[in-house]
Amino acid sequence: MKKIEHLGIAVKDLNQASIIYEQLLGITSYKTEEVESEQVITAFFKVGESKIELLAALSDDSAIAKFIEKKGEGIHHIAFDVEDIYSEMKKLKEEGFILLNEEPKKGADHKLICFVHPKSTHGVLIELCQEIK
Ligand code: CMX
């Protein structure tokens, strides 16, 4: 794992939350992107080397809708930048971590991603992400 790539924050209303985060961080979002496969719309903010990803649900089936219903708005996941997602997934699986995808899938912001179940990481949803070059 190279570094924390971003923190994902689940929000109810992306526009309202973006305004607040623009005020807080003193910058504007550099990208808004829908990820159809995850049923989310995202807004990204760059803070130094790190990023904040605001996530809002596009449907009631979305993981974000379920998360907000159960826990309310807040930090949803921590994403780590990895050099080689395939070898990282293989290593974590062998070590007993519960991966939520058998294969990496395409996520927002030009990334291949894989999630690790919060039950195997003391209650924190972890995302592995590798830049698609
Ligand atoms: N962080 C910590 N715990 C979480 C969580 C999260 N983000 N989401 C769910 N949980 C907890 C639930 O509260 C529940 O805990 P308890 O058993 O103590 O009540 C437990 O995980 C439920 O696990 P589950 O029944 O296996 O599954 P859920 O239907 O609640 O789904 C999860 C949880 C993580 C498997 C699902 O949300 C998932 O597959 N996530 C990966 C995909 C995703 O999150 N996509 C949206 C972001 C996409 C993007 O970043 O672009």
Side-chain angles (χ1 to χ4, degrees), residues 47-62:
V47 193
E49 281 236 325
S50 313
K51 294 176 191 161
I52 300 286
E53 177 188 30
L54 301 182
L55 298 133
L58 287 173
S59 75
D60 292 346
D61 294 337
S62 161

Side-chain angles (χ1 to χ4, degrees), residues 6 35 38 40 42 53 55 62-64 66-67 70-71 75-77 100 105 107-108 113 115 117-119 123-125 127:
H6 65 265
V35 186
E38 299 291 325
V40 295
T42 65
E53 177 188 30
L55 298 133
S62 161
I64 298 301
K66 289 182 193 156
F67 177 85
K70 195 161 185 192
K71 296 181 187 266
I75 293 186
H76 176 259
H77 64 263
L100 287 163
K105 53 184 183 176
I113 63 170
F115 284 94
H117 200 291
K119 280 212 184 318
V124 179
L125 178 62
E127 179 183 348

Side-chain angles (χ1 to χ4, degrees), residues 21-34:
Y21 275 82
E22 283 176 3
Q23 283 175 350
L24 177 75
L25 303 172
I27 50 172
T28 52
S29 155
Y30 71 88
K31 179 190 271 191
T32 300
E33 184 178 346
E34 282 190 23

Side-chain angles (χ1 to χ4, degrees), residues 112-132:
L112 282 178
I113 63 170
C114 174
F115 284 94
V116 183
H117 200 291
K119 280 212 184 318
S120 59
T121 51
H122 293 263
V124 179
L125 178 62
I126 302 291
E127 179 183 348
L128 308 177
C129 56
Q130 180 192 326
E131 179 97 33
I132 301 171

